[in-house]
Structure formats: C-alpha cells, structure tokens
Amino acid sequence: RKEVEQDPGPFNVPEGATVAFNCTYSNSASQSFFWYRQDCRKEPKLLMSVYSSGNEDGRFTAQLNRASQYISLLIRDSKLSDSATYLCVVSGQGGSEKLVFGKGTKLTVNP
Amino acid sequence: EPEVTQTPSHQVTQMGQEVILRCVPISNHLYFYWYRQILGQKVEFLVSFYNNEISEKSEIFDDQFSVERPDGSNFTLKIRSTKLEDSAMYFCASRTGPGTEAFFGQGTRLTVV
C-alpha cells in the first residue's frame, strides 16, 4: 500500500463550483498533515495545515479523520487561479520528520 | 516575507560530472531537507539535516550524494558523478521544528546529458 494515496484526477470544474479532494495515508503513527498546491514545474506551496478538529481558511476547508486515516480538502466557489495540482502531505511517522507526499490531484477550473 | 532561495534555477551537466546545488533556508529554521521530483512523478524525500548532521536519508540518497552546511546560511547538495536518471527538479525545504510547516525553494532543474 502506498504511504499517501490520492485520486490523480484530473478534476475539471466550472468557476464557482465546489470540489473535494480525498487522501488516505497508511501509517497510523503519522502526526502532522498538510495540503500543498503545486503549479506546473514550480515548487510545492503550503496551502494549509490540517488539524484534528478540522480547519477553514477562506474558501478552503480541511478535515482529518485519524480513525480512517483519511484527509480531505474542500474548495468552495472555485476560481480560475485555483487550477493546480493539490498535494496531500503527511509527516511525523514513528519519529521521522520527513514529509511524505502523495502524487497529487490535478484540478482545472474552467471559465 | 522570508523565503527559501535556491541557485541555480537550471543546471545542465554532462553525465559523470559533479554538481552542487545551493540553498539558503529561512534564517530561523532549524530543519533542512532536500527533495526531488522527476517529471510527472511525485515529490520524493532525499535527506533531512538537523544540528549539523544528517538525521534521515532515503534509499535514493546513496554514496553519490552528500549534503553540507558550510556556514550559517547555505545548505548544499552535491552529486558526485551524475547519471542520466538524476535529471529532475531538486527542491530544498526548511522548517522551524517537528510538525511545523515546511517551506520550499523554487527548485533547481537539473538536466544530465
């Protein structure tokens, strides 16, 4: 089983749509969770950390379910500028502080 | 806003040559990382560095690779004898501590010919 799994997409949605991405991780000892976005041939940029109680940042909402080892990201009112690849990232497995990346989910928001 | 900076942005080298990729992490960060991303693939961990020593490395990080923090600001990745399969984007990242958010540099695109 892959350490971090994501639906690769692509997701093609119209402007204004709501879109949800899911991610599962295999190591139950994981401690820290993040969503990054990556534009084509650019560096991963932090979108938000994911907390156990769930958290929201503007149009973005992240949820964590430790029992199911599942992380989600919801984007409301999609903008053209949201088009990117969204990377689920997990860290802190068994004392390791490396970031483990999913392969990413590609989103295209269409006018 | 503080940022991680990497140089060069693009490097072309001949197979068998040595390359040094440079990074300046964010100044108050204590944990440093190198990652790579082969075109079309996921971001892969290479090595982490804390307290002037390697804290963890992946299977990819073999004897051809080394890291150094030669002074208080630079963090370098050296590949001694490049192979064609080393062609990738190499990202440096830093964070203040365990569990905190990591910030990435803009990357160095390494092309081995």
Side-chain angles (χ1 to χ4, degrees), chain B residues 66-106:
Chain B
S66 62
V67 290
E68 248 190 349
R69 190 157 159 81
D71 53 44
S73 58
N74 290 285
F75 180 50
T76 62
L77 175 69
K78 183 193 289 186
I79 309 174
R80 287 191 186 82
S81 178
T82 49
K83 307 182 187 69
L84 294 176
E85 54 265 36
D86 293 328
S87 295
M89 280 289 282
Y90 287 80
F91 295 111
C92 174
S94 69
R95 69 204 299 196
T96 53
T100 63
E101 298 158 345
F103 296 89
F104 285 76
Q106 79 278 21

Side-chain angles (χ1 to χ4, degrees), chain A residues 5-109:
Chain A
E5 288 202 67
Q6 296 182 250
D7 179 347
F11 284 60
N12 289 288
V13 302
E15 268 187 292
T18 295
V19 61
F21 304 135
N22 304 318
C23 167
T24 56
Y25 59 95
S26 61
N27 192 324
S28 60
S30 300
Q31 297 293 317
S32 307
F33 310 91
F34 309 93
W35 284 102
Y36 282 74
R37 66 169 280 166
Q38 186 175 32
D39 294 294
C40 189
R41 298 192 176 224
K42 300 286 189 183
E43 76 274 23
K45 287 188 176 174
L46 179 70
L47 184 63
M48 59 197 301
S49 302
V50 186
Y51 303 118
S52 297
S53 54
N55 48 300
E56 188 174 305
D57 183 1
R59 297 182 293 109
F60 300 86
T61 301
Q63 298 278 352
L64 168 65
N65 184 323
R66 285 187 184 270
S68 303
Q69 294 174 211
Y70 171 93
I71 308 161
S72 66
L73 176 69
L74 184 77
I75 306 175
R76 290 182 299 279
D77 188 22
S78 313
K79 313 290 184 195
L80 296 176
S81 56
D82 293 334
S83 297
T85 296
Y86 289 82
L87 307 175
C88 178
V89 181
V90 174
S91 179
Q93 308 91 318
S96 166
E97 283 306 319
K98 69 181 181 187
L99 301 174
V100 180
F101 284 76
K103 199 170 178 185
T105 300
K106 185 170 182 180
L107 170 68
T108 301
V109 181

